[in-house]
Amino acid sequence: MVWQQEHRLSYQDYLEKYRAIVYLFIGLFLFLSLRLFHLQVIRGKHYRTVSEQQRTQIILERAPRGVIYDYKGKVIVGNKTSFVALFYPFSQEMSPPQETIKCLKNILPDKNLAARLTQGWRSGQVVRLAQDLGREEMFRLQEQRLMLPGISVIREARRDYRSPEVNAHLVGYLSEISKKELERMGHDGYRSGDWVGRTGLEQLYDSALRGQDGGWQIEVDAYGRQTRLVRHISSTIGNSLHTTIDARLQEVAARALKESPTGRGAVVGIDPRSGAIRVLVSMPGFDPNVSFQPEFAGYMNDNSLPMFNRAVQALYPPGSTFKIITFAGALSENKVNIKHSYTCNGKYTFGNKTFKCWEKKGHGTVSLSQALARSCNVYFYQLGLRTGPDILQQLARKFQLGQITGLDVLSEKAGLVPDTEWKQKKMHESWHPGDTINMAIGQGPLWVTPLQMASLISAVANRGTMYQLHIVDSIVSPAGETVYSFQTRKKAEVKLSEYVWQALASAMEDAVCSGTARACYFPDLQVAGKTGTAQNPHGRDHAWFVSYAPAVNPELALAVIVENGGSGGGVAVPIARRIYEAAFNINTGGAIKADAGAWEEGVEKPLAGDNVEVSTTPAAAGKRQQ
Amino acid sequence: MQRQGEEKTLLHRFAENLDWLLMLSFAFLLATGIMAIYSATLHYGNPGKFFATQLAAVAIGIAGLVFFTSLNYQIFRPPTYIIYGFSSAILMSVLLFGSTVRGTKGWFNLGYFSFQPVEIAKLLFILALAGYLDKHWRDIRRWTKLVAPLALLLGQVGLILMQPDFSSTLVYFPVTLILLYVIGAESLYLLALIFFGAIAVGIPLLATFFKLQPALLTAHPVLKYLVAATHGGLPAVLILAGIVAALFILWWFLRQMRIHVPFVTFAVVAGIIVAGSASSAVVQKSLKDYQRKRLIVFLNPDIDPLGSGYNIIQSKIAIGSGRFLGKGLFSGTQSQLGFLPEQHTDFVFSVIGEETGFFFTELAIMAYFILVWRAMVVAREARDRFGSLVATGIAAMFAFYAVINIGMVMGLMPATGLPLPLLSYGGSNMTSSLWAIGILLSVHIRRFTH
């Protein structure tokens, strides 16, 4: 009797159960022991033989990643075969023989070879000796294979980035998985040494693009020679991405940006009918093909920031392109009549400050429409004051400025649309009319990304309907099954009256026909757009041009910016021109139909006081000849 | 006046009353584990680190062991719900604040080391369940009284599954069932539960097994239909209806033959089959890809010889090639050449098997058995029901960990990722195992009336 406060009988009951459980445990352990006996004593000899003679090693065959296509089916990122030299250890000696190392050094020039070879020997792990072997190296390795036990050459798929600089920011690059990442993702099939995507589509869709690794199981005899291939499992390529991008336009845009005065900037092109991104270029770019070479680190130290995706991460003041919003806001809230004219004589005085127009002599008397086409600052200063900051801010936000667009890229910037509250909080000052004047022409603490401006002009092209922007249309498995398909959907709507849209469209068409965007005029294609020359405190002005074509039933909306490029009309518009030429198959032989010297906008300095150098080339007044 | 033999010193009494067999087996396992880990990590690049970490875990564990031994286990009896609540709290907090390792949010990363709260929750559950059962043992024969313990079980298991950590929940089920059995629950009800579980888990297993043999399926269309039915939908409903109908006919037929089977029995059996099948559909759907793969590979390791199948194939080769005397310490070719993955954790038993052979490996199995057996003896000699329950729970925990891990390593069970207590590398498991032994010793040394 052991339980001290219980009835004898309940303890007896317990004893019975106790015995049953002990028998259960005896049974389980007996079962284990029998199995152990079976494995080690009965079949022991067999397993010993297997373990000694048939030592197998696994050589992984890395799967090629899925192909990335543009919307016409052209390959943007593919794969190519390369040869890799592997070493797998076979014996238990502590270091490889000297002859082997010497022979190897003759063929493969690599100082760390000996160290890696020894490490591989010690750890018993397969070691990569060299990648991208040339044919000659490969043959020599084969020739000398008796001197090089344990070394073999296998084929592998390597990423092949077509037009690397052009598409670099769109697609991203690859690098080896880090230890921390491995800990986090090891379960999902990531192995040490795997390549993962960094930035761009490679990173965002990494799990879809990854294929399934295969491998060889090789039998090795007691002398370390490969006796036979036990089995080979083929790798499976990853899913392919079908994007909305137009690869040809990417090239045109990239080349145009490269040839611009500073070689820095971005182009974003959207199909307004669906929100599909046709062009996403940021310059300067980088070469993802060399991401595993030491020179890749050089990109990080480059002052022109080639790794920076200006299209979605750079924030610029919109400059005169913002006049679109001032125009539309004022007109739709009846703060101005379409026929209202104002005289611009080059200056505008408000309070004790003088704000200047970039056209020193002034535009003369201009209507609302003309003011937009010729980008008259003075007109818009007074328009801005009549309209008031709230209307401008609200309309800007309706066009989704100050927010991310939700495009399937990584890390977009949201930018800023300042308002009274913001100014109070951040600058501890209240809103001045001077701030409204700045805002009316897109200056001041107003920040946008090229992507946002493209989205805006695409919305204008669509008379207010904003579709969800997207780059990837569908993801298809190697077997041909569509694993994912994007459904076009409306994201937002800017409701303005038909009247306002029409007025805006006409004014922007005029800008191209006879205004600041004349460099983009085509006789057979009506383009509509707005230039901008955004003043920036750190250097020369940024050149902007937002546009769409054709003016009726638009198919392409573009936002072009050349960082520190100077005049919008002079620098950004020709880039858009080249893109439209390519997109609509127009051949103008490169000649720009505008008259001598493009119509340039000069420096805009809304905060008056100082006399600023206005660097414009005198442009002939009047319209271009038909 | 001397009273010979009556005034024994505290130390003397302690030494006399200690279960030396228990201590010996546990010390043996501990020592074996440390040697095995050293051997397994010899070629890892920094073997000293693993060795040292494990020793540190042992030190912390032993400190805890001494603490729990001195603590009177009976203080765990009254606050059943507090213990359960605390256990649930730490399981919930790891879901909120924990780090994700290998797809499971089950670790607290405290800088230099990390630990798994589920290891502590395990012990707390045994204490809470034992406490509950001790308070309610009188009516435990009624099936309504089983609801609460099962609710406690599912509550903990649910929290663990949210991490998601499927393997750690495995041990909870046999421990609960054994405790219920020992406390006197009606065996029939327990059998019903086991039957239910068998259906819920067995159907996906069988379905997976048959799906691996498409030739067999095409040859037997009926089988094919059955396998398709496991995915639910109309075929499933039809088959279940058919089974229920068949059972009904059987019952009715038996009735006609004057063999009186109460309707309730038929209803319950039919109910279990239906509920079990429904649950099996849930299990089937919630099986993650890698778990499905483990099942498949267990049934047919050659299917993925370069991946999950590789482990089991290599493990059997390693163990078998040890033969009777082993290949010698630190000389196992499979482990030293890195053929055995996870050899310092899940597959540490394979390292022992390869290097020491049947002679010593069998000793290790026996040491485990002795540990479990002595734990049961502690249960038998405990001074109260609560002590017996706690000790039985701990015995069951060790037993099933050992069986599951050693079984897997020898190809008898699918891979589960469960470590081998006292042997595998793993700080959390080591400390919780040592603390469990501490609680066991606490029950043991207080067995006399004082």
Side-chain angles (χ1 to χ4, degrees):
Chain A
M1 176 65 210
V2 181
W3 287 351
Q4 274 127 28
Q5 278 147 15
E6 306 283 348
H7 196 263
R8 200 190 186 87
L9 278 180
S10 51
Y11 182 69
Q12 304 287 42
D13 282 339
Y14 161 71
L15 271 187
E16 281 176 23
K17 312 281 170 134
Y18 157 85
R19 275 190 216 115
I21 298 294
V22 172
Y23 291 150
L24 171 70
F25 288 157
I26 292 179
L28 288 174
F29 280 92
L30 201 62
F31 186 53
L32 287 180
S33 303
L34 284 175
R35 173 67 169 186
L36 187 71
F37 186 77
H38 171 84
L39 280 182
Q40 290 192 310
V41 178
I42 297 181
R43 301 256 294 158
K45 187 149 184 230
H46 160 78
Y47 282 115
R48 178 65 70 97
T49 317
V50 168
S51 91
E52 273 175 358
Q53 285 183 359
Q54 291 181 10
R55 230 175 289 164
T56 57
Q57 265 279 7
I58 294 177
I59 300 178
L60 220 56
E61 181 186 87
R62 194 174 279 154
R65 289 169 76 87
V67 179
I68 302 182
Y69 297 97
D70 88 338
Y71 86 118
K72 292 200 188 118
K74 186 161 167 209
V75 174
I76 301 181
V77 182
N79 300 296
K80 60 176 188 259
T81 342
S82 82
F83 295 104
V84 176
L86 291 182
F87 166 68
Y88 59 94
F90 56 87
S91 87
Q92 303 209 46
E93 288 164 25
M94 283 310 277
S95 62
Q98 282 300 98
E99 307 92 61
T100 310
I101 297 183
K102 228 193 291 180
C103 182
L104 202 57
K105 275 197 157 152
N106 275 335
I107 307 176
L108 298 172
D110 183 357
K111 339 188 222 65
N112 297 325
L113 213 52
R116 284 199 288 173
L117 214 53
T118 317
Q119 193 218 15
W121 217 287
R122 273 211 210 106
S123 69
Q125 307 277 353
V126 175
V127 167
R128 290 175 152 256
L129 292 176
Q131 309 195 112
D132 294 324
L133 294 177
R135 289 201 97 82
E136 204 198 292
E137 289 168 314
M138 205 181 67
F139 284 131
R140 288 179 71 190
L141 281 175
Q142 283 292 92
E143 269 182 338
Q144 305 276 13
R145 68 180 174 279
L146 286 177
M147 290 287 290
L148 306 168
I151 297 187
S152 46
V153 175
I154 59 163
R155 278 175 163 211
E156 205 174 57
R158 301 266 282 155
R159 222 33 173 158
D160 180 24
Y161 296 93
R162 318 281 167 93
S163 309
E165 275 195 317
V166 172
N167 298 312
H169 291 104
L170 173 70
V171 298
Y173 63 98
L174 298 178
S175 79
E176 211 171 300
I177 192 171
S178 73
K179 228 167 153 200
K180 263 213 173 121
E181 290 167 325
L182 201 57
E183 263 178 37
R184 215 181 353 114
M185 304 194 289
H187 232 319
D188 300 324
Y190 285 86
R191 276 185 262 246
S192 161
D194 269 358
W195 295 336
V196 289
R198 306 276 179 219
T199 84
L201 295 174
E202 291 274 39
Q203 178 171 359
L204 203 60
Y205 291 95
D206 190 65
S207 44
L209 288 170
R210 278 169 66 80
Q212 198 117 358
D213 289 340
W216 295 267
Q217 202 173 15
I218 312 243
E219 217 176 81
V220 177
D221 70 6
Y223 297 102
R225 288 193 288 252
Q226 288 176 280
T227 50
R228 75 185 175 107
L229 172 69
V230 174
R231 77 182 83 216
H232 172 236
I233 297 183
S234 304
S235 57
T236 319
I237 191 172
N239 299 324
S240 52
L241 288 186
H242 294 262
T243 64
T244 56
I245 298 286
D246 187 328
R248 197 173 49 110
L249 294 186
Q250 290 271 109
E251 304 242 7
V252 174
R255 199 170 330 129
L257 275 176
K258 208 164 180 194
E259 293 168 9
S260 71
T262 58
R264 287 174 278 122
V267 175
V268 179
I270 302 179
D271 183 335
R273 301 167 290 182
S274 61
I277 301 274
R278 294 275 176 243
V279 183
L280 190 81
V281 176
S282 167
M283 275 295 183
F286 57 93
D287 186 359
N289 285 311
V290 301
S291 67
F292 289 100
Q293 326 257 23
E295 60 232 50
F296 198 70
Y299 287 125
M300 307 289 181
N301 301 323
D302 191 336
N303 279 330
S304 62
L305 304 178
M307 303 292 290
F308 185 47
N309 186 344
R310 290 167 162 82
V312 303
Q313 291 182 326
L315 292 171
Y316 305 102
S320 299
T321 56
F322 194 81
K323 287 175 185 161
I324 293 177
I325 292 191
T326 316
F327 182 109
L331 197 58
S332 73
E333 296 294 322
N334 288 316
K335 297 295 182 184
V336 73
N337 185 294
I338 187 82
K339 296 201 201 62
H340 169 80
S341 344
Y342 194 82
T343 308
C344 165
N345 59 3
K347 291 210 250 299
Y348 183 81
T349 313
F350 182 77
N352 56 352
K353 292 209 186 94
T354 307
F355 298 83
K356 292 193 170 194
C357 188
W358 58 268
E359 176 64 85
K360 252 212 269 192
K361 293 177 290 185
H363 288 92
T365 307
V366 285
S367 67
L368 176 64
S369 184
Q370 288 168 326
L372 189 75
R374 298 182 208 168
S375 200
C376 172
N377 286 359
V378 167
Y379 189 100
F380 276 89
Y381 293 150
Q382 58 88 23
L383 186 62
L385 285 176
R386 285 157 70 111
T387 317
D390 295 322
I391 293 178
L392 298 182
Q393 290 146 7
Q394 282 160 22
L395 188 58
R397 296 229 172 86
K398 284 212 190 112
F399 274 108
Q400 311 276 302
L401 295 188
Q403 306 160 35
I404 61 174
T405 66
L407 176 63
D408 47 352
V409 286
L410 297 167
S411 36
E412 264 186 82
K413 282 271 167 47
L416 179 68
V417 175
D419 59 21
T420 334
E421 228 180 275
W422 175 89
K423 188 154 192 229
Q424 193 60 49
K425 239 198 241 167
K426 285 288 162 113
M427 323 268 289
H428 304 296
E429 279 173 24
S430 50
W431 189 272
H432 284 178
D435 298 318
T436 309
I437 290 181
N438 273 344
M439 196 174 187
I441 63 164
Q443 302 283 168
L446 181 61
W447 302 105
V448 297
T449 62
L451 179 66
Q452 285 171 329
M453 290 312 288
S455 165
L456 186 150
I457 196 66
S458 168
V460 170
N462 248 348
R463 306 257 157 134
T465 309
M466 299 181 82
Y467 290 102
Q468 174 61 52
L469 302 178
H470 61 283
I471 292 186
V472 170
D473 219 8
S474 62
I475 301 182
V476 180
S477 76
E481 206 188 304
T482 304
V483 172
Y484 164 81
S485 170
F486 181 85
Q487 305 295 338
T488 307
R489 60 175 186 272
K490 197 155 59 148
K491 185 176 176 208
E493 176 113 38
V494 182
K495 286 195 172 29
L496 299 173
S497 72
E498 188 59 39
Y499 174 68
V500 173
W501 289 122
Q502 187 51 48
L504 185 57
S506 300
M508 292 203 297
E509 287 168 34
D510 266 350
V512 173
C513 289
S514 58
T516 54
R518 290 185 316 173
C520 198
Y521 174 81
F522 299 103
D524 298 318
L525 176 72
Q526 180 68 59
V527 178
K530 180 74 197 78
T531 57
T533 306
Q535 189 230 357
N536 103 84
H538 301 295
R540 274 195 88 200
D541 307 324
H542 303 305
W544 278 104
F545 182 48
V546 295
S547 59
Y548 59 88
V552 178
N553 296 325
E555 294 168 18
L556 181 62
L558 287 179
V560 175
I561 181 169
V562 179
E563 209 173 272
N564 304 124
S567 148
V571 172
V573 175
I575 293 181
R577 182 196 182 81
R578 283 164 76 165
I579 299 177
Y580 285 125
E581 280 174 5
F584 294 100
N585 286 316
I586 303 170
N587 200 340
T588 49
I592 298 175
K593 287 295 195 241
D595 19 73
W599 187 279
E600 284 185 25
E601 284 172 71
V603 172
E604 296 163 356
K605 190 102 186 185
L607 293 175
D610 335 41
N611 269 329
V612 176
E613 292 286 285
V614 174
S615 54
T616 48
T617 56
K623 306 190 174 36
R624 53 157 300 287
Q625 294 303 325
Q626 195 70 13
Chain B
M1 254 71 11
Q2 275 192 349
R3 294 144 90 204
Q4 287 186 1
E6 281 189 13
E7 287 290 333
K8 294 180 184 166
T9 63
L10 188 63
L11 202 59
H12 198 176
R13 265 194 307 162
F14 183 73
E16 240 183 23
N17 292 326
L18 209 52
D19 187 339
W20 285 107
L21 213 46
L22 176 70
M23 301 302 286
L24 202 67
S25 61
F26 132 71
F28 174 77
L29 287 172
L30 211 55
T32 308
I34 296 197
M35 293 284 268
I37 289 174
Y38 185 71
S39 174
T41 58
L42 209 50
H43 280 237
Y44 268 22
N46 191 1
K49 167 173 159 241
F50 293 95
F51 189 65
T53 317
Q54 191 72 340
L55 278 180
V58 168
I60 298 177
I62 298 232
L65 183 152
V66 171
F67 171 72
F68 281 110
T69 309
S70 8
L71 193 67
N72 189 341
Y73 70 94
Q74 285 173 336
I75 67 165
F76 293 120
R77 184 183 179 277
T80 300
Y81 291 112
I82 298 181
I83 294 179
Y84 186 77
F86 181 64
S87 172
S88 307
I90 56 178
L91 285 177
M92 279 194 274
S93 65
V94 79
L95 287 174
L96 296 170
F97 308 115
S99 335
T100 307
V101 170
R102 283 188 245 152
T104 299
K105 202 169 189 189
W107 292 79
F108 282 125
N109 200 328
L110 303 170
Y112 191 64
F113 72 100
S114 41
F115 86 99
Q116 270 184 307
V118 71
E119 296 287 343
I120 306 200
K122 240 177 18 193
L123 292 182
L124 294 175
F125 179 72
I126 293 179
L127 291 172
L129 185 62
Y132 180 85
L133 291 176
D134 187 40
K135 293 186 190 121
H136 298 262
W137 67 271
R138 252 174 258 277
D139 315 308
I140 202 70
R141 289 189 72 89
R142 295 160 55 200
W143 70 270
T144 45
K145 280 296 175 184
L146 291 178
V147 173
L150 287 177
L152 290 179
L153 168 69
L154 290 175
Q156 295 281 273
V157 165
L159 281 174
I160 298 175
L161 284 177
M162 290 209 277
Q163 289 182 1
D165 184 355
F166 195 63
S167 339
S168 294
T169 64
L170 284 178
V171 169
Y172 276 76
F173 294 97
V175 166
T176 308
L177 282 171
I178 287 180
L179 282 184
L180 284 174
Y181 174 72
V182 156
I183 198 63
E186 182 69 60
S187 311
L188 210 56
Y189 299 147
L190 294 180
L191 274 175
L193 282 174
I194 295 178
F195 183 44
F196 171 80
I199 295 182
V201 172
I203 290 186
L205 194 70
L206 279 176
T208 316
F209 176 69
F210 283 119
K211 273 194 263 196
L212 290 180
Q213 317 193 37
L216 195 65
L217 288 182
T218 39
H220 298 92
V222 176
L223 208 53
K224 190 171 190 189
Y225 188 69
L226 283 175
V227 170
T230 61
H231 281 276
L234 190 60
V237 173
L238 287 178
I239 291 181
L240 279 180
I243 293 179
V244 172
L247 280 175
F248 182 75
I249 295 176
L250 178 66
W251 171 76
W252 181 84
F253 196 63
L254 286 175
R255 251 233 153 116
Q256 297 303 96
M257 311 228 311
R258 300 259 185 271
I259 300 173
H260 207 93
V261 178
F263 184 76
V264 169
T265 313
F266 153 71
V268 166
V269 171
I272 293 179
I273 293 183
V274 172
S277 311
S279 312
S280 82
V282 173
V283 169
Q284 181 98 294
K285 281 213 185 74
S286 60
L287 263 186
K288 296 198 168 227
D289 266 337
Y290 75 87
Q291 289 164 334
R292 208 182 299 265
K293 226 180 177 182
R294 280 179 172 171
L295 265 185
I296 293 177
V297 154
F298 161 63
L299 295 169
N300 186 358
D302 283 321
I303 272 207
D304 188 9
L306 296 182
S308 1
Y310 185 66
N311 292 13
I312 300 298
I313 296 175
Q314 290 300 323
S315 173
K316 290 202 289 198
I317 294 177
I319 296 178
S321 66
R323 302 194 72 185
F324 198 76
L325 288 173
K327 291 182 185 162
L329 214 50
F330 313 137
S331 311
T333 50
Q334 300 296 102
S335 25
Q336 298 307 344
L337 286 186
F339 281 97
L340 252 188
E342 294 296 339
Q343 60 195 37
H344 63 307
T345 53
D346 301 351
F347 285 89
V348 73
F349 191 77
S350 314
V351 174
I352 297 175
E354 184 187 23
E355 297 192 349
T356 60
F358 184 77
F359 180 70
F360 194 82
T361 315
E362 179 60 28
L363 272 180
I365 292 187
M366 293 206 309
Y368 261 117
F369 175 71
I370 292 175
L371 184 68
V372 169
W373 171 47
R374 295 316 291 174
M376 289 300 286
V377 168
V378 165
R380 187 186 70 199
E381 296 180 344
R383 66 189 290 176
D384 56 15
R385 184 181 288 103
F386 178 64
S388 299
L389 286 171
V390 170
T392 308
I394 293 179
M397 180 186 86
F398 277 121
F400 279 92
Y401 259 110
V403 166
I404 291 175
N405 179 287
I406 298 181
M408 161 188 73
V409 144
M410 295 202 288
L412 291 172
M413 293 195 59
T416 52
L418 276 184
L420 196 53
L422 303 179
L423 253 49
S424 287
Y425 175 79
S428 312
N429 187 273
M430 173 64 83
T431 45
S432 81
S433 303
L434 289 174
W435 293 358
I437 295 182
I439 299 178
L440 201 62
L441 286 174
S442 172
V443 175
H444 175 62
I445 65 179
R446 285 176 177 78
R447 65 190 182 281
F448 301 118
T449 338
H450 279 121

